Amino acid sequence: MRRYFIAGNWKMNLTRAAAEALATDLVAAMPAGDSPVDVLVAPASPYLLPVASVTAGSHVELGAQDAYFESAGAFTGEVSVEMLLDVGCTQVILGHSERRHVLGETDEFTGKKVEAALAGGLKVILCVGELLSEREAEETDSVLDRQMAGGLKNVDERAMENVVIAYEPVWAIGTGKTASPDQAESAHDHLRKWLANRYNSEVADRTRILYGGSVKPENASELLGQPNVDGALVGGASLKADLFNAIIEAAVELAGS
Ligand code: 13P
């Protein structure tokens, strides 16, 4: 049985004070003792340290929104895996559609980052997802196949223990348009079959596949209730403690049912 995983991608939002306050509210709302759901927040990099001091010792894990594949040197503006570990991150989001489509990052570039993050000891949330034009041209499966192949190029079966996949259809990100539960389930099922093909059925069964794209408290239960949806990567709704907590609560309820 895969554990639900609810991750908040704060993107380039909040102030230091607001990030600390949000993390404080989330930590306070986490159930005491063992939680049946894994929870992570990914603040903008200047706020990793202050948020780390709030989440330390809690069940809320700290993630980064990106990392570079070189370990040090003349790479102005970039942040290494070692630096992220040093400030308390356990995970990193890689291949987010905004990095692919706003910043022009390729599958190959994403694959190098995935490889470096895993080698350095960070868990990876690898994002994949098609544009609206690609969906309309019935290219969703082939786009996902290409992004998976590039992102996981040098990742072996063992390293896959530290990888989570996030399916984020680009047309559903920040638009208020959510993929229907059927659309999400069908893409997740395709991704799981891809994992079985590339690795084996054990890797396919244990790898968590999150859905991302306008997840809100009102649609969380239905999306998370799909057999191949193992969690959510939440953008906008992760910036409000009450909304994010309600999504976590939906996962807790499903985990107990
Ligand atoms: P929204 O939840 O704002 O649509 O963002 C989704 C996302 O991109 C999470 O990584």
Side-chain angles (χ1 to χ4, degrees):
M1 172 82 184
R2 297 180 292 265
R3 275 169 73 83
Y4 280 112
F5 181 17
I6 307 297
N9 175 7
W10 293 357
K11 307 192 181 183
M12 199 173 72
N13 290 302
L14 305 172
T15 58
R16 175 179 176 157
E20 285 170 333
L22 177 54
T24 303
D25 286 349
L26 297 178
V27 167
M30 285 296 283
D34 283 343
S35 165
V37 171
D38 294 331
V39 173
L40 173 133
V41 292
S45 46
Y47 304 144
L48 285 169
L49 261 182
V51 170
S53 61
V54 176
T55 57
S58 79
H59 287 298
V60 178
E61 278 190 75
L62 187 70
Q65 298 176 15
D66 189 36
Y68 196 54
F69 50 79
E70 297 286 358
S71 55
F75 303 102
T76 302
E78 294 301 319
V79 172
S80 73
V81 171
E82 290 79 357
M83 289 169 179
L84 295 176
L85 288 162
D86 198 19
V87 297
C89 290
T90 53
Q91 314 212 13
V92 61
I93 298 169
L94 293 173
H96 192 278
S97 73
E98 286 140 23
R99 301 222 57 95
R100 294 175 188 271
H101 300 296
V102 181
L103 302 176
E105 297 191 1
T106 62
D107 294 319
E108 193 196 351
F109 195 68
T110 303
K112 284 166 121 175
K113 293 179 172 194
V114 172
E115 191 184 354
L118 292 171
L122 278 178
K123 294 182 184 169
V124 168
I125 302 172
L126 171 65
C127 303
V128 295
E130 81 287 0
L131 297 163
L132 183 58
S133 56
E134 293 166 335
R135 173 163 283 267
E136 285 171 350
E138 297 187 2
E139 290 166 4
T140 300
D141 289 354
S142 61
V143 168
L144 298 181
D145 292 351
R146 194 197 70 226
Q147 293 176 339
M148 291 287 277
L152 298 175
K153 183 155 178 247
N154 292 315
V155 179
D156 65 15
E157 178 186 341
R158 216 164 131 223
M160 278 304 291
E161 280 179 22
N162 293 317
V163 175
V164 166
I165 305 297
Y167 169 61
E168 298 206 312
V170 182
W171 48 272
I173 296 179
T175 58
K177 270 194 209 162
T178 318
S180 69
D182 283 351
Q183 285 171 322
E185 175 58 19
S186 141
H188 284 225
D189 180 60
H190 178 80
L191 291 167
R192 209 174 290 292
K193 290 190 174 124
W194 187 93
L195 291 168
N197 236 345
R198 160 79 156 83
Y199 298 98
N200 52 50
S201 59
E202 201 200 310
V203 170
D205 281 348
R206 72 163 188 244
T207 302
R208 290 183 291 185
I209 307 178
L210 317 183
Y211 169 78
S214 300
V215 176
K216 311 182 263 276
E218 304 86 73
N219 57 28
S221 297
E222 215 187 343
L223 287 160
L224 294 170
Q226 301 303 309
N228 283 297
V229 178
D230 308 313
L233 182 54
V234 186
S238 73
L239 298 171
K240 297 255 164 33
D242 55 341
L243 301 183
F244 195 58
N245 280 329
I247 295 167
I248 296 169
E249 193 47 46
V252 170
E253 269 174 35
L254 285 161
S257 64

